[in-house]
Amino acid sequence: MVAQGFTVDLTKPLVFQVGHLGEDYEEWVHQPIATKEGPRFFESDFWEFLTLTVWWAVPVIWLPVVVWCISKSVSMGCSLPEIVPVVAMGIFIWTFIEYFLHRFVFHIKTKSYWGNTLHYLIHGCHHKHPMDHLRLVFPPTATAILCFPFWNIAKAISTTSTAPALFGGGMLGYVMYDVTHYYLHHAQPTRPVTKNLKKYHLNHHFRIQDKGFGITSSLWDIVFGTVPTTKAPKKQQ
């Protein structure tokens, strides 16, 4: 794998190598290596550890936060009939955030050294090694950072008493997203719905990587016209 005279050595930590690919980074990162064991990122064991997350950490850490948020709204006087639609709205809003982040942030095109490096850390690594089972869900530290702007959004569009429940619904949507994402990569679905979701997402990784940004559903792909074509690509003469 040579780009602009630079060879990426997959046996060495990758994070500070990929920036040297320049304009060829985009092509390199979208040539997936489908092995369950991923590469090393950093020389430092501490920084390397922070990039590794087991899938079950997501529900263990964040579901208690969801429960606390909903209970906070209840303690502020919200009834169950009021809570349910607010939580459902939070989940719905998350599906849009999921799509927006995946399409416009995770798939931003970069070519500078630090742009490539940052993109690789955020999402490029997942496209290069899509089956890396310890880098498939968000690290808790990254999720915690994102909680601040999401909480501010919840406060801005709801009342004081319903904001915690709305935020909790969004966090529940996030948990469903990350667990579903892991499932689609590493499980063998038997039901039509989950089999189609897996096919839809793996198509994004291995066939049409600039379409099919929805993970938990294709709703926003349909709305914004990014559903991948089902037709086989024509062979070049």
Side-chain angles (χ1 to χ4, degrees):
M1 285 166 282
V2 179
Q4 294 185 343
F6 179 80
T7 302
V8 174
D9 188 345
L10 295 174
T11 66
K12 296 179 179 179
L14 292 186
V15 168
F16 295 120
Q17 291 191 67
V18 299
H20 294 295
L21 291 169
E23 294 181 351
D24 291 325
Y25 167 77
E26 178 76 14
E27 179 181 357
W28 176 85
V29 83
H30 288 107
Q31 296 172 358
I33 300 174
T35 56
K36 187 175 181 181
E37 300 300 325
R40 189 173 179 90
F41 274 22
F42 296 100
E43 289 281 1
S44 165
D45 290 337
F46 172 75
W47 291 110
E48 184 71 9
F49 171 76
L50 291 181
T51 70
L52 306 174
T53 309
V54 291
W55 73 268
W56 47 262
V58 173
V60 166
I61 293 172
W62 298 111
L63 284 182
V65 175
V66 171
V67 173
W68 183 85
C69 288
I70 295 173
S71 66
K72 186 71 174 176
S73 283
V74 172
S75 70
M76 296 172 73
C78 291
S79 65
L80 184 62
E82 293 173 316
I83 291 289
V84 171
V86 172
V87 172
M89 178 58 68
I91 295 173
F92 179 73
I93 291 173
W94 165 258
T95 65
F96 177 75
I97 293 173
E98 167 194 320
Y99 176 88
F100 180 88
L101 286 175
H102 193 185
R103 180 179 178 183
F104 296 107
V105 179
F106 297 168
H107 278 268
I108 189 172
K109 296 185 184 299
T110 62
K111 59 182 179 180
S112 68
Y113 177 85
W114 289 110
N116 291 347
T117 301
L118 182 61
H119 180 267
Y120 183 79
L121 278 169
I122 292 174
H123 194 64
C125 59
H126 179 52
H127 269 265
K128 190 64 182 178
H129 291 85
M131 309 308 289
D132 184 347
H133 68 298
L134 290 177
R135 293 194 180 96
L136 227 168
V137 298
F138 273 56
T141 49
T143 305
I145 292 171
L146 290 173
C147 280
F148 289 99
F150 293 162
W151 168 245
N152 288 326
I153 292 172
K155 288 196 301 181
I157 64 176
S158 60
T159 65
T160 301
S161 60
T162 59
L166 183 66
F167 179 77
M171 288 303 298
L172 180 58
Y174 157 69
V175 171
M176 294 165 62
Y177 150 79
D178 237 353
V179 172
T180 299
H181 190 199
Y182 189 92
Y183 177 85
L184 297 181
H185 277 267
H186 289 290
Q188 297 299 325
T190 56
R191 297 184 177 183
V193 172
T194 49
K195 287 175 71 174
N196 288 335
L197 274 178
K198 182 180 178 79
K199 180 179 179 181
Y200 190 82
H201 184 57
L202 294 188
N203 183 59
H204 168 73
H205 275 283
F206 295 100
R207 185 167 171 264
I208 306 175
Q209 295 164 335
D210 61 348
K211 302 283 186 181
F213 299 105
I215 307 297
T216 52
S217 80
S218 59
L219 170 63
W220 296 109
D221 282 312
I222 295 171
V223 171
F224 293 110
T226 52
V227 176
T229 178
T230 57
K231 295 180 180 179
K234 294 180 179 180
K235 294 182 179 180
Q236 294 183 352
Q237 298 297 325

